[in-house]
Amino acid sequence: MMSGWSPQPAGLQEVLETLHNSTRTNEPEVQKAITIKLEQFTKVPDYVGYLAHIIANMTQESKHMREISGYLLKNNACLLTRAPPEVATFAKGAVLQAFRDPEVRKVAGEIIISFLRVLDPKNWTEALRILFHVLDSPHLDEQESAFDALEKACQDFPRKLDVDMDGARPLDFMVPKFLAFSEHPSAKIRSHAIASLSQLIHIQSQSLFAHMDNFIACLFKQASDDNATVRRNVCQALVLLLAFRADKLVPEMPNVAEYMLYSTQDKNEDVALEACDFWLTFAEEPDLENYLRPLLPKVAFALLECMVYSENDLDWAIADEDDGHIPDKESDIKPKHYDAKEHGLERTTDLSNSGTNGTRHGALAGDNGDDLGDDFDDDDVDDFDDEIGTEWNVRKCAAAAFDVLATRFNGELMDVSLPALKEKLWSQDWLQRECGILALGAMAEGCIEAIVPNLPVLVPYLINMLNDPKPLVRSITCWTLGRYASWIAQVTSEEHRATYFVPTMEGLLRMVLDNHKRVQEAGCSAFSTLEEEAQAELEPFLDPVLRNLVFAFDKYQAKNLLILYDAVGTLADAVGRALSNPAYVEILMPPLIKRWGKLKDDPEDLVPLLECLASVTVAMGPAFYPYASPIYERCCSIVQQQLLQYQAYQQNPEMEEPDKDFLVVTIDLLSGMVQGLGMQMKTLLENSNPPLFSLISICLKHPQPSVRQSSYALVGDMAVKCFELLRPFMPQIMPELVAQLYPEPKPEEVSACNNAAWSVGEVALRYGVDPEFAQWVPGLVHHLIPCLLHAKAPRSLHENAAVTLGRIGLIQPTMLAPQLEVFAEQWCQALFEIRDNEEKDSAFRGFCTLVQVNPQGIAKSFFWFCNAIAQWGNPTPELNDMFKSILTGLKEMSGPQWNSQFGSFPPQVQDRLRERYNL
């Protein structure tokens, strides 16, 4: 190993002593001190050299000690780029030397891959050559270690291997070698070979595609391998081929399909899971629909069988015994991400992609390119992930595939599944019954039209299943009822209410108070879904609903309390001001305040309650005032604490970054109080210490977009509900709003830009013609027009910018009208699909005012203006009169040209305008 670097004895001794100490005790304080010491070592330029020396050269140390040094080196591989050249050279050579040592070969292989990831393979081709050469070693353990490392390289950075290095492309040599090794006597080698080749599919590697026929032949040959890991990798490869090179599988589809159907019943869970994933990927590909249709009966049956709890599933599934009294472990509670409040406009049409609900589950779900790293975790797998278990398994994958098949084939899936489904639903075996109920829920969205005629029988059946003695049956029944909540809540008659809605509501409320945690969770989640669908239909039942939910506060453990808070907040959003009834306030607020008082200022405990109270305050309105003072004061205190913590973090970035969700949700609660209390906030603001507006001014400049987003929303809500209290501070606030308005924000900044634009519009309306607002108009127009015109600006920003420009036109038309021609067409295009509401009304009244001031400004965009008018369903009388006046005036101005111009419009636009305005 040629290098000009060698470790200093004193430094080496210090590192060794620290590593030895780390293994001698588990005392928290000692371990904390060791962690700090190790962190300090990372600032030493040649630290990686010491670690490499220990693993490669200090054979007198124990294997465990050398491995600890190796894993530290792996985890700190990024330090290699900052090390002096002679240290980096030494470390690389030492790691290659360690790879020859059987005692630490496995760790050394992992370090090599970490180094390659950091350095880029083209900058350390020696390592690739050595790994490739070791594949031909006569020693099986050396072959396996080299293949283990190469598979990891193909998985982590395949594209970096698919480039020219020293005049050659590594994959050109690796692919034929891997294909040859797919028939190796060792199952581990066969497994590595197939897995490595599979990782090259999604990058469309031409090195692999040149041998595609041989690769597919290799998969067919190993499809019946005795080793389960090999079979799993064969299935995984076929899934990836289906996603990225389906053309190569289509000629063999009957054989592939039969194999995959057979593999879904494999005794090995991992093989069955990959086989299930094949059908999920198949269902998600619209271009393969005609190939899948003939297989539908067999696939549906296979997936139904996969949805039955396996023995492995039942090992982790909750037992039959009641466990509601047992405290949760910290590991039971999954962290939740909270979205900051965003202002958006509802469109008349949904232009989102149709077909698969947007989320990809199969092979395409993980196609995120190279360098995802060891910590990559794709947890975005729709509601099956949260509702029917704890981990992605065969049962859950089958249910997700069934859901996508339902969306793809609608009633066809219902027809082919019905016999088996009926058999399961009415089976005496609770496992079969539970599976049938899961399948019924999985097909709810896609097959709804075919299922609706059967719901008068199925819903009572499901309500009855809430009485099943098995908790897993009761919990899945809750979930399935939630999937049909839309139909259940569509109360079209008293009979429907009495037969379906009320029994479902009562049944789910009983499940909310079940003695089994999993049933509580499912019941509470399903009831939240019913709340969203039922809205005002719940008002006559608020007393029993509230009493049930309040009782659960004293019954639930920590994890389910989070869901309970959400259910209370959703109820408040659903029934709105009906919650302000003093009787309901008296039921709900004392337990909430009791919990508020018990919880410390800790985000993990307090954030869910803050989010819940934000909805409750809006719904209760002035009735919330008696409880407002301590909540308001604590919110201000939390905001201040969080801002100070973030300031400390900025000054010392080595500190842990404060939880932004805590600050965001606290600001959102303040917004809720403003919306609910309006001018009743005056006393709270006057007695505030620290003053709220001084805190807001800092939040408006916060580096985190979500904090600014919620702060802009708070400003907008204050403009709407208590502008007199906000107005004195607008000279300080307005520049911050203007600064957020730019046409091509980063994805994480879009919502903040939307809220800033919306807030400006609300402030503008409240100022009216007051000349104080005029000082900001030029700057606002300078920012808002580019937001509207920029082709790459998000559609939501186009819409919010258009509304705000319209509102500015309403109060300061002479300042904006000269520029009407610049933005008129895009303005009309941005808002013509927005649903009728007050915001749209004020924006259009402003635009019409601009047209009245500058009629020539819409000469080039007259059609778009007329089209936008025609899209209105029910304009207010004032706006309707403005439309009529403008159109009549323009008709008179156009003279003989009117007929040809108007006649060029689409017939539906002409008809609507003639009918409404007698044109």
Side-chain angles (χ1 to χ4, degrees), residues 866-902:
C866 291
N867 184 53
I869 293 174
Q871 297 301 317
W872 272 88
N874 188 28
T876 60
E878 180 182 1
L879 180 60
N880 203 51
D881 288 345
M882 295 180 85
F883 286 155
K884 184 173 184 178
S885 173
I886 290 171
L887 291 171
T888 303
L890 289 172
K891 180 179 180 181
E892 291 175 357
M893 287 174 57
S894 299
Q897 296 179 351
W898 172 264
N899 289 334
S900 61
Q901 190 174 12
F902 189 73

Side-chain angles (χ1 to χ4, degrees), residues 58 102 111 135 158 197 213 215 305 324 329 332 354 417 469 483 531 706 858 864 886 895:
M58 300 198 71
I111 300 169
L135 289 181
L197 290 164
D213 291 341
F215 178 46
E305 292 306 304
K329 301 173 187 174
D332 293 335
S354 61
S417 306
R483 300 275 283 182
E531 290 172 338
S706 57
I858 59 162
W864 293 106
I886 290 171

